[in-house]
Amino acid sequence: MLYCEHGNLQGYGRIGAVVVRHSDLADEPECTHFIKLVRVFGDSIEKWSVKREEGEDHHAEPTRAKWMVCRNDFNNPNCMSSRFAHVDDEDSTMIRFRKAGYYLLLGRVAGTLKKNCKYEDAAIKLELRTNGGTPVHISHNLVSYPGNSYYGPEYCVPYEKRRVDYGHINDVIYAESESFLQISGFGGACIAQHGTVPDPFDKIPTQSLSATRLAPSVRVDRYQVLFEPGSVMFERALGSDERTEQESLFNVVSEGSILEAYTDCQCIVVGSLSHKIGSIATLKLSGNPIIHSQLCKDTGYGSHNISTVIQIEEEECLEITSNFDDDGLSHSGMVGCLAFVVLA
């Protein structure tokens, strides 16, 4: 698994054998970008791209992303029957999970607004549903466009001035057997054509999604991120498998605003945060910034991307800060998630 990060390598020497290789640029003291190659243990890795079809009804409500298998090294044509996740044979808007388990989801989608559409709190959402259609996991704000009732007319930019905004899918989900995942646009939002297949890569980021089925022995943990003016809070939300009584990695302290580690561990940290937390969001380990994300304040209605590998020791603390005090984009409510996959 490749991680492209910002900053220098100060503080990352503790990761040890988890990181296979750093790029040579990481040795430069002024380095602002570096790459990590990380070993991930899973039963299966699948990847899909958002496809474009002629004659699609972009005025439908909701609009849904359609998927096709991505051409990559993960797809072995001789092992098609062993796949744990696949595009539904009859409905290409569904990614269906054959076997129950925890899945690490990594990807991105692009959203925009429909033309000549009166919208109110338009958004691109990820939904995981049981085979019967019951929702069990929803990420509400991959991309969101607030209407007049949300912030006021000054933040409701006309369609003509809207740009395409990318939303990140960084999460760990528990999928039941034959459950399915869909990404949909509601309230006037739709999936943009930017970065859809068969467009070449060129300079446009491709819309895609990968799912890694984690081995049953892998320890995971997950927290919803809640925002209120003046504070960011965590609430444990492991998923449909909570009844298995998995031990948490963290103690939620300081009235829910800090995660304090119970034990030493090396782990992948993934998450995405809505612009509602503010245009700037920072993940800190014991007060030191390790991830810093900034959205364009005027048109940035996508999501903040959290994706890194850390070594955390007992009683060390994680927290998220934002520029909510001076940012008119911020708004109370659930703004995203933070998930952990323990490597050692």
Side-chain angles (χ1 to χ4, degrees):
M1 180 175 296
L2 289 175
Y3 282 93
C4 182
E5 300 196 14
H6 303 273
N8 54 42
L9 285 179
Q10 188 174 7
Y12 283 88
R14 297 156 48 184
I15 296 173
V18 173
V19 176
V20 180
R21 182 177 176 83
H22 290 294
S23 64
D24 294 336
L25 290 176
D27 297 328
E28 298 294 328
E30 297 83 11
C31 175
T32 56
H33 298 82
F34 57 91
I35 294 175
K36 296 176 186 174
L37 179 60
V38 181
R39 296 187 184 97
V40 177
F41 299 94
D43 295 331
S44 173
I45 300 177
E46 305 295 342
K47 188 174 181 180
W48 309 273
S49 298
V50 177
K51 66 178 180 178
R52 182 191 305 181
E53 292 184 349
E54 297 298 330
E56 288 184 80
D57 182 6
H58 296 286
H59 296 283
E61 183 67 27
T63 60
R64 292 194 167 95
K66 295 183 178 180
W67 302 97
M68 63 177 291
V69 175
C70 195
R71 295 185 180 90
N72 56 53
D73 295 337
F74 300 142
N75 300 314
N76 183 347
N78 297 321
C79 300
M80 298 292 285
S81 61
S82 65
R83 287 184 176 172
F84 294 105
H86 64 102
V87 178
D88 188 270
D89 295 333
E90 298 181 357
D91 186 348
S92 62
T93 69
M94 296 181 181
I95 292 176
R96 193 172 289 278
F97 299 92
R98 283 199 175 101
K99 289 195 174 183
Y102 283 107
Y103 288 82
L104 172 63
L105 302 181
L106 298 172
R108 61 184 165 220
V109 292
T112 188
L113 289 171
K114 301 173 185 176
K115 270 189 177 181
N116 304 319
C117 177
K118 292 182 179 180
Y119 68 97
E120 189 65 36
D121 299 342
I124 305 294
K125 302 179 183 180
L126 179 150
E127 298 177 304
L128 176 68
R129 295 176 177 268
T130 65
N131 191 33
T134 303
V136 292
H137 179 107
I138 300 177
S139 296
H140 291 275
N141 298 297
L142 300 179
V143 181
S144 55
Y145 300 96
N148 284 314
S149 65
Y150 200 88
Y151 296 126
E154 66 271 21
Y155 283 98
C156 297
V157 181
Y159 168 83
E160 291 75 15
K161 295 185 179 180
R162 284 285 187 217
R163 299 179 182 178
V164 170
D165 289 289
Y166 278 85
H168 297 281
I169 305 167
N170 293 337
D171 207 346
V172 174
I173 63 170
Y174 182 83
E176 299 177 357
S177 177
E178 295 304 319
S179 61
F180 63 89
L181 179 152
Q182 290 180 311
I183 294 178
S184 309
F186 295 88
C190 63
I191 307 299
Q193 294 187 350
H194 285 59
T196 53
V197 176
D199 281 355
F201 280 103
D202 198 30
K203 297 181 180 180
I204 301 176
T206 303
Q207 297 188 60
S208 61
L209 176 65
S210 66
T212 303
R213 186 177 187 271
L214 301 174
S217 59
V218 173
R219 187 177 177 186
V220 302
D221 205 358
R222 183 179 182 275
Y223 298 82
Q224 290 181 340
V225 181
L226 309 173
F227 173 75
E228 291 184 4
S231 64
V232 177
M233 295 174 291
F234 298 96
E235 182 178 285
R236 195 173 191 231
L238 194 54
S240 299
D241 200 35
E242 288 175 320
R243 58 184 177 272
T244 61
E245 300 181 355
Q246 288 207 33
E247 293 183 5
S248 61
L249 295 174
F250 299 94
N251 182 23
V252 182
V253 298
S254 297
E255 298 182 347
S257 63
I258 290 177
L259 298 178
E260 182 182 73
Y262 279 125
T263 185
D264 300 356
C265 66
Q266 297 170 337
C267 56
I268 294 173
V269 185
V270 294
S272 60
L273 302 173
S274 165
H275 68 83
K276 295 176 184 177
I277 198 172
S279 61
I280 299 174
T282 304
L283 176 66
K284 295 181 178 180
L285 174 61
S286 297
N288 298 312
I290 55 175
I291 290 288
H292 185 73
S293 175
Q294 183 170 359
L295 302 175
C296 177
K297 188 172 181 180
D298 293 332
T299 59
Y301 294 105
S303 55
H304 297 282
N305 176 29
I306 297 176
S307 182
T308 189
V309 180
I310 63 171
Q311 166 76 41
I312 190 166
E313 297 178 356
E314 184 178 354
E315 296 186 351
E316 284 193 313
C317 296
L318 285 170
E319 62 179 323
I320 293 173
T321 61
S322 73
N323 64 331
F324 52 82
D325 287 333
D326 58 357
D327 192 342
L329 290 177
S330 56
H331 188 80
S332 300
M334 190 177 74
V335 293
C337 67
L338 201 61
F340 303 86
V341 179
V342 177
L343 297 173

